[in-house]
Amino acid sequence: MSADHGDGALAARVRRAETLLEERGVVDGAELDAILDRYLATGSPANGARVVARAWTDAGFRDRLLADANAAVTELGFRAGGLQPTLLRAVANTAEVHNVVVCTLCSCYPIALLGPSPSWYKSEAYRSRVVRDPRSVLAEFGLTLPDTVRVEVWDASAETRYLVVPRRPDGTDHLDDDKLAALVTRNGLIGTAAV
Ligand code: FE
């Protein structure tokens, strides 16, 4: 596993940096804790769901999201990166393509928008199998895709993280952004569920 990958490894590096900075009197430990706590407390799949709901109701936002997700999510008050800058890419499901995200090396994940990653996302089984046989893995999650749909697997890294924009369900034309956001699940944002 690369030392640059994974939030556990990152946390360890942050701790070491924090100790050094405190020893040298550069930063107050309490201040740094407050920054970390804010980041961990505000990261939630509800954030990603809001981004998706906006993309469903605002075609201009959807275009901006797919072109430059880092910039687009700031329109809703979110920041994609944590303590270091990361490139966020939004990938949209269509009638032809279904997207699913993995980190084959460890567990890179857009925590600010999705919260802490589920344990299965970090499991060796998911990381290795979803690349080789995504359809079987998705079927185990209860998502069976027609053969006409191509499955695109995106490998996240410390530098680049992904957010799936599910297809808007039929019969939701009358719903506002809040109600639409409530339909979006964490697994939908990873690509292991339809929505
Ligand atoms: Fe990783």
Side-chain angles (χ1 to χ4, degrees):
M1 184 190 293
S2 156
D4 290 321
H5 264 261
D7 300 305
L10 176 61
R13 285 167 61 198
V14 168
R15 287 290 156 225
R16 282 197 297 277
E18 182 183 18
T19 305
L20 276 173
L21 292 169
E22 271 188 77
E23 280 170 8
R24 293 171 191 182
V26 175
V27 71
D28 172 351
E31 219 171 275
L32 197 50
D33 278 349
I35 295 170
L36 286 169
D37 287 349
R38 197 157 57 234
Y39 172 52
L40 293 173
T42 56
S44 158
N47 299 344
R50 294 216 69 81
V51 171
V52 167
R54 179 63 63 86
W56 284 345
T57 56
D58 180 342
F61 178 79
R62 178 191 162 91
D63 290 345
R64 293 193 295 282
L65 180 68
L66 298 182
D68 182 349
N70 291 79
V73 299
T74 64
E75 295 179 34
L76 303 185
F78 302 127
R79 277 189 61 229
L83 295 166
Q84 57 184 13
T86 54
L87 178 68
L88 178 69
R89 281 198 62 192
V91 287
N93 294 341
T94 66
E96 293 80 34
V97 181
H98 179 87
N99 297 284
V100 61
V101 181
V102 64
C103 172
T104 54
L105 277 175
C106 42
S107 58
C108 296
Y109 192 78
I111 291 175
L113 291 163
L114 267 70
S117 59
S119 54
W120 56 259
Y121 184 83
K122 300 171 220 166
S123 73
E124 171 73 30
Y126 176 76
R127 285 159 39 212
S128 57
R129 290 183 56 226
V130 77
V131 177
R132 289 199 311 268
D133 189 6
R135 278 174 196 281
S136 299
V137 172
L138 293 178
E140 287 165 26
F141 277 95
L143 178 60
T144 304
L145 296 166
D147 289 342
T148 50
V149 175
R150 193 175 83 243
V151 181
E152 198 82 64
V153 181
W154 299 91
D155 193 357
S157 68
E159 293 77 31
T160 308
R161 311 207 174 183
Y162 296 91
L163 174 79
V164 173
V165 180
R167 297 176 71 194
R168 181 172 177 164
D170 292 336
T172 59
D173 288 355
H174 60 294
L175 298 182
D176 63 16
D177 273 35
D178 284 349
K179 294 223 169 62
L180 288 170
L183 300 176
V184 181
T185 68
R186 179 193 61 196
N187 285 13
L189 298 164
I190 304 172
T192 52
V195 184

